[in-house]
Amino acid sequence: MKILPLATHIARQLVGAALAAGAASAQTPASFPAPQPTLERIWRLGMDSSQVQKLGQVLLDSLGPRLTGTARQKAANDWLVSLYRQWGVEGRNEQTGTWRGWRRGHSHIDLLSPRVRTLEGTMLAWSPGTKSKDLTAATIILPRFADSTEFVRWLPQAKGKLVLVSAPQPTCRPTESWTTNATPASKARLDSVRAELQREWGGVNVRGTGYSNALGTGSLGVRLEEGGVAGVVSSRPKNAWGTIDVFETYNTVAPAIALSCEDYGLVYRLTENNQAPRLRLNLDAQLLGEQPIFNTIGTIKGTEKPNEYIVLSAHFDSFDGGSGATDNGTGSLTMLEAFRLLTQVYPKPKRTIIVGHWTAEEHGLVGSRAFTEDHPEVVEGLQALFNQDAGTGRILSIGAGGLPNAGVHLQQWMAKLPSQFTSVVTPRIPGSPAGGGSDDASFACYGAPAFGMGGTSWEYGSYTWHTNRDTFDKVVWDDLKHNATLVAMLAYLASEDDTKITRERATAEQIAPGRNGPGAFAWPTCQKAPRQTNPRLR
């Protein structure tokens, strides 16, 4: 008998207990208002035989983040196609255009003086590397300028240096910690300092330069690069412990890195106090030019109304500071598992069922907008689209997208669901059409029935959304089983519905009561999909 280390033994006991508890929960019979053989089978398969965690381990750990234009994203596209073919349904990649390609390798960032410390940080997406060698340089803080002319005159002072372009945070504790522990006077001073830093370092005119950091280094990074700087150092901490946003740069020569709140503050203070910090960067990266990008589409052909469509919708791309787990691996896995359930339980649907894994949502809903342009027949024949892009939490609300008749149908479908769903999910009727935050907006702008789903937050905005901590361990698998099973049931009911949803739009007063004048509600207009890299410099 092999003797296990204590930690391993305890871990196995905990895992076994968790699995047993999950199994007991899954085996609880669903409480349907009336016999529903197909829905009951979806429940059993979805809750007792879920594959969502197994699929998630491959997607999030092995394939990893799916940055638009990278080989990792294409490998994930191909994995989906292979799954669909294994399941006996059509799967294909559809090219939507091109995007800047890039390969991320290692990021080694060290403080060399006045003391030695390995710093917590990484390259921003699409950063150039250091060409297989160390880059060692002093740091300089971006000062305050009267105007952009003064900034340009200053640039020679920054040549060959690493420029700090983000605000120095007065604290790396989240607001919650200050609210709980600080005196009112201390908290008020902190709020005042934070507001002033945002005014000084945010927006489209950082410190009077006339340039913007945008989502990473933006137009400011490009101008600094033109001035001959060695690199750009940034930090976008969340209001949480240990998390930073990791976005993008448009530099092509001078590397751009993101440091943790703590280590950026350290380097900033050393620089500010003339203590001569020097950093060493060794960054492995390769800019690859424009590369083809793809939506991945799975299809179960309808038998009675093949030209009417149910669409399961989630964007597949991610940023790559973490694994893209909750943005939007969880939405992708929800739709993937829902589609798997439907292939087993409902292989000959009345209407055609499509699952759309959209590319480049993070860059302006590129994939879903391209799909609506390339497939007007799907927009025209759409019976229902279900979109999920809100993190790992269980679905608690479903919006009818500003269409009163969609709300009528949603209520009819929900009346057939088990109480395990109806007791926690609230229909929002008429709801409002998505305005651009996720891919349902690409369909809603046409007045098509697009149902957006919201859920429990699990600190999505502060801990995982676009951060270095968006990893497998943040996923709540019980909630994903709940979501996938719910979506599969709704897709089945929408497909079987005797009538098609009509597209009369709710009035502005119904959608946004009391909003008049310049702030009055207006139905969103459709935007064209960019078919190649569309820089966001400001």
Side-chain angles (χ1 to χ4, degrees), residues 108-112 116-119 278-282:
H108 299 318
I109 306 168
D110 300 296
L111 175 68
L112 297 182
V116 174
R117 172 180 167 81
T118 294
L119 301 180
R278 291 180 67 79
L279 303 187
R280 178 177 62 202
L281 313 183
N282 192 297

Side-chain angles (χ1 to χ4, degrees), residues 347-420:
K348 295 183 179 180
K350 179 183 290 187
R351 293 176 170 90
T352 296
I353 298 176
I354 291 173
V355 58
H357 300 279
W358 316 121
T359 189
E361 184 269 356
E362 299 290 3
H363 308 283
L365 313 185
V366 175
S368 56
R369 283 175 171 162
F371 184 85
T372 61
E373 293 167 12
D374 297 343
H375 295 279
E377 76 285 358
V378 175
V379 178
E380 176 64 28
L382 189 62
Q383 166 75 341
L385 174 138
F386 301 101
N387 187 74
Q388 211 277 332
D389 182 17
T392 190
R394 60 194 175 279
I395 293 166
L396 297 180
S397 67
I398 303 174
L403 303 181
N405 189 246
V408 171
H409 285 252
L410 177 60
Q411 288 178 316
Q412 292 171 352
W413 303 335
M414 289 192 64
K416 299 177 181 178
L417 297 178
S419 62
Q420 284 88 342

Side-chain angles (χ1 to χ4, degrees), residues 10 64 129 173 178 199 247 262 264 332 351 380 398 423 464:
I10 291 172
R173 293 179 178 273
W178 278 79
R199 284 191 292 270
F247 282 114
E262 293 81 0
Y264 184 84
S332 299
R351 293 176 170 90
E380 176 64 28
I398 303 174
S423 63
T464 60

